[in-house]
Amino acid sequence: MTTHIDPGLRTDFAGEVILPRDPGYDEARTLFNGMIDRRPAVIAQCANTDDVARAVGFARERGLEVSVRGGGHGVAGKALVDGGLVVDLRMLNSVTVDPDARTARVGGGAVMADLDRATGEYGLATTGGRVSTTGVAGLVLGGGSGWLERKYGLTCDNLISAELVTADGRHVRASGEENPELFWALHGGGGNFGVSTSFTFRLHPVATLGLAMLLWPPEAGPDVVTALRDFMEAAPDEIGGGAEYMLAPPADFVPDDLAGRLALGVIVTCVGTEPEMRAMIEPMMGHGHAGGMLAEMPYTAVQCMDDDRPGLRNYWSAQHVRKLPDEAVARYCALADGMIVPSGSRHTLFPLGGAVASGPSEYPIPWREDPWVVHPLALWEDPADDVRAKTWVRDVRTSMEQWSTGSLYLNFIGDEGANASGRAGATRTCGASRT
């Protein structure tokens, strides 16, 4: 196969074409998730949209299966394909901001750090995940959940237009006026519509966020999570956040007897100032937290405060739940006992609502009105813990199922089965990396 690849693809290719025999091959096929070990026949690191069209055409002519790699995590491994061709978009990571129009044009290989740094210079932002290493393409094409969603909607709600290369090599633009059906499908619809090479987003004035992080020992979970439930159900749209069982970090605001141990953290964000946040979160301050911090931070700093290091073994899933009665809260808290400790694993619960629920109903987001999401993320180092880690994540999904809405967010799922993408709205979009 490789004897036909060199003259057929490398000619007039502005980026890099990498084959299994090339020195950079192993590095080029390495993903964020250390569990993924796939060997493509060719990796096309595209420098422009013509490269993308050329790579897609090359694969079509030779009958090669295609996968598309954006800039982000690729936790489920869909960004690589054994024996096929990878359209690698990471060179397409430029961001151009129009501060007057409050828009940003973002390359399909960019991560949130690229977007946040560029928009942050003007005190602007758009909903963008919860870590800076999230890939923009995968985030928006799956819908896009993040810190700002309750105030400014999902990432896809802020999408103005997208540019794609289709399977036949055409360059197309999709917006509300141009190819509107394609534009509709790019809002969480999934499904092999083309390779998304750039996006234009609506921006909002967000220079800083009020941030509170409160910590408790894990046994306080049922009382604290119940309080958080009641607090969030009455909170204004400016307030976001959630609860998370995690390994308490060695930080000044963490008591010595909690650092390095399993702890329950409550994170509250406020699209506003620290004094505004303090007034709003008063109901959460009377539950005897063991440690914590309250601050006003640049949005870009909030985005990168929880970045995971690459190379760990990852297995994620989620369960959207329609309500959180006391029994569900107790179950969620008890499931933290199955986490690998110590590890980078996290057992997360966060609210939707606000501008997510009131956002445009015409797009294929089946979970828009779901009020809560339980999101177990197993991150660990030792392959000997693979079964244990996966079993914990699956146990969380199964145990919370009786309160489930049945909806799935494409960016949070792993190997839930052949019907998973259908429950999420459709099959996954070509051009999206997992976030």
Side-chain angles (χ1 to χ4, degrees):
M1 179 185 297
T2 57
T3 57
H4 301 291
I5 288 175
D6 287 334
L9 187 54
R10 280 186 166 139
T11 303
D12 297 325
F13 196 86
E16 297 290 333
V17 176
I18 301 175
L19 306 180
R21 64 173 179 262
D22 293 333
Y25 176 75
D26 283 336
E27 181 180 358
R29 70 184 183 91
T30 298
L31 295 181
F32 172 86
N33 185 353
M35 293 183 70
I36 307 301
D37 183 19
R38 293 179 180 163
R39 301 187 64 85
V42 57
I43 300 171
Q45 295 183 331
C46 301
N48 52 46
T49 54
D50 287 339
D51 280 357
V52 174
R54 192 181 304 275
V56 170
F58 179 87
R60 183 180 63 248
E61 292 166 3
R62 288 158 178 79
L64 295 175
E65 187 176 355
V66 174
S67 66
V68 184
R69 181 173 187 175
H73 298 142
V75 166
K78 304 301 184 183
L80 298 183
V81 56
D82 279 322
L85 183 145
V86 177
V87 178
D88 188 334
L89 301 178
R90 286 177 294 170
M91 289 186 181
L92 302 178
N93 64 351
S94 64
V95 178
T96 303
V97 179
D98 184 335
D100 295 326
R102 290 186 178 176
T103 61
R105 186 176 184 273
V106 185
V111 296
M112 283 310 308
D114 300 316
L115 176 56
D116 293 338
R117 281 195 297 263
T119 60
E121 292 184 14
Y122 304 98
L124 300 171
T126 197
T127 302
R130 293 173 177 83
V131 293
S132 70
T133 50
T134 297
V136 175
L139 181 72
V140 62
L141 293 172
S145 176
W147 296 123
L148 302 179
E149 64 192 356
R150 283 174 49 87
K151 178 64 175 177
Y152 293 123
L154 301 171
T155 312
C156 71
D157 296 340
N158 293 283
L159 181 64
I160 297 172
S161 65
E163 297 178 7
L164 301 91
V165 173
T166 61
D168 58 2
R170 290 182 299 122
H171 298 230
V172 301
R173 184 177 185 272
S175 68
E177 296 75 35
E178 192 172 359
N179 296 305
E181 292 184 354
L182 176 58
F183 188 62
W184 173 89
L186 297 179
H187 288 69
N192 294 329
F193 304 112
V195 181
S196 301
T197 55
S198 75
F199 307 88
T200 299
F201 294 104
R202 184 179 304 107
L203 304 177
H204 306 277
V206 183
T208 62
L209 285 184
L211 176 72
M213 184 172 185
L214 309 176
L215 293 172
W216 286 264
E219 57 269 21
D223 290 340
V224 173
V225 175
T226 298
L228 176 68
R229 175 199 65 192
D230 297 342
F231 166 68
M232 287 305 311
E233 289 179 351
D237 293 354
E238 287 78 9
I239 293 291
E244 183 173 85
Y245 283 90
M246 60 182 178
L247 202 69
D252 292 341
F253 63 89
V254 179
D256 291 342
D257 61 350
L258 205 55
R261 293 178 48 215
L262 183 67
L264 171 67
V266 167
I267 297 173
V268 178
T269 59
C270 175
V271 183
T273 64
E274 181 184 349
E276 290 171 329
M277 178 190 66
R278 284 181 179 272
M280 292 182 189
I281 70 168
E282 188 61 31
M284 289 303 302
M285 298 299 292
H287 294 277
H289 55 280
M293 59 167 285
L294 286 85
E296 185 174 329
M297 298 173 61
Y299 174 68
T300 52
V302 175
Q303 279 283 80
C304 64
M305 69 181 183
D306 202 24
D307 286 353
D308 299 310
R309 66 180 175 90
L312 293 176
R313 305 174 79 77
N314 281 250
Y315 190 75
W316 302 359
S317 189
Q319 193 72 273
H320 286 239
V321 295
R322 64 183 179 275
K323 58 182 179 179
L324 273 179
D326 292 349
E327 182 186 358
V329 169
R331 184 77 56 82
Y332 161 75
C333 295
L335 288 163
D337 291 341
M339 294 172 62
I340 295 176
V341 179
S343 77
S345 299
R346 297 192 296 277
H347 183 34
T348 303
L349 170 72
F350 62 86
L352 296 177
V356 178
S358 64
S361 60
E362 65 269 23
Y363 295 131
I365 304 288
W367 43 272
R368 183 177 289 281
E369 296 183 2
D370 296 349
W372 292 93
V373 182
V374 175
H375 182 25
L377 303 91
L379 296 90
W380 70 102
E381 296 190 48
D382 190 346
D385 286 328
D386 286 1
V387 172
R388 179 183 171 194
K390 290 183 176 182
T391 298
W392 170 66
V393 170
R394 291 165 179 161
D395 283 349
V396 173
R397 275 196 51 82
T398 301
S399 296
M400 299 301 298
E401 193 165 15
Q402 70 183 89
W403 299 285
S404 172
T405 65
S407 300
L408 290 174
Y409 175 29
L410 286 169
N411 294 338
F412 284 171
I413 64 175
D415 59 357
E416 279 78 359
N419 295 325
S421 58
R423 296 199 307 277
T427 52
R428 188 164 181 81
T429 304
C430 182
S433 65
R434 286 201 179 273
T435 60

